[in-house]
Amino acid sequence: MTAPSPTAAASPGPAPSLSGTVELRTGEGWLAVCPAGALLPGRGVAALLPDGRQAALFRDRAGRLYAIGNVDPFTGAGVLCHGLLGSVQSRAYVASPLLKQRFDLADGHCLDDDTVAVESYPIRVAPATP
């Protein structure tokens, strides 16, 4: 058995645990969405915003949080929260579960059609209050 090469990339460990409340910035200010622990690495959740729009929230395996619109502009279905996370050229994306278009998680732009985008939202974790 040989030891791993010192130049071999280490596999990432588990995402750091989060505590507090995940909040999205909307036109009305910061909106509490869910406990930070509810966002599992590699999975998305949907949130209904006060104005009736939907947001999809994601936590990648490195622990970074993202929020984009949940409605797939190609089908009109609220499904982006169910998409698969990936990355290309250091850009994190979610692939729609329906037609597989990829949306940049940082800014909502479609990586497969430059004329299409979904909204992106600032996101943060607010500390838990005692």
Side-chain angles (χ1 to χ4, degrees):
M1 186 166 160
T2 61
S5 162
T7 59
S11 61
S17 73
L18 295 174
S19 62
T21 302
V22 174
E23 297 180 337
L24 294 183
R25 180 126 177 112
T26 66
E28 296 80 38
W30 288 100
L31 173 70
V33 176
C34 65
L39 292 180
L40 301 177
R43 302 268 176 104
V45 298
L48 183 61
L49 304 180
D51 63 5
R53 290 179 296 157
Q54 298 177 34
L57 288 72
F58 300 95
R59 179 178 177 202
D60 68 14
R61 297 202 186 277
R64 293 179 295 257
L65 301 178
Y66 302 93
I68 62 172
N70 190 43
V71 176
D72 180 338
F74 293 95
T75 64
V79 296
L80 292 182
C81 65
H82 300 295
L84 295 175
L85 297 186
S87 66
V88 62
Q89 298 176 351
S90 302
R91 295 173 73 178
Y93 68 80
V94 62
S96 172
L98 297 177
L99 300 177
K100 309 305 184 239
Q101 284 88 358
R102 299 167 301 156
F103 295 90
D104 190 313
L105 289 175
D107 62 16
H109 284 89
C110 181
L111 301 178
D112 303 301
D113 185 338
D114 291 340
T115 65
V116 178
V118 294
E119 189 162 2
S120 64
Y121 299 92
I123 187 169
R124 70 179 185 188
V125 176
T129 55

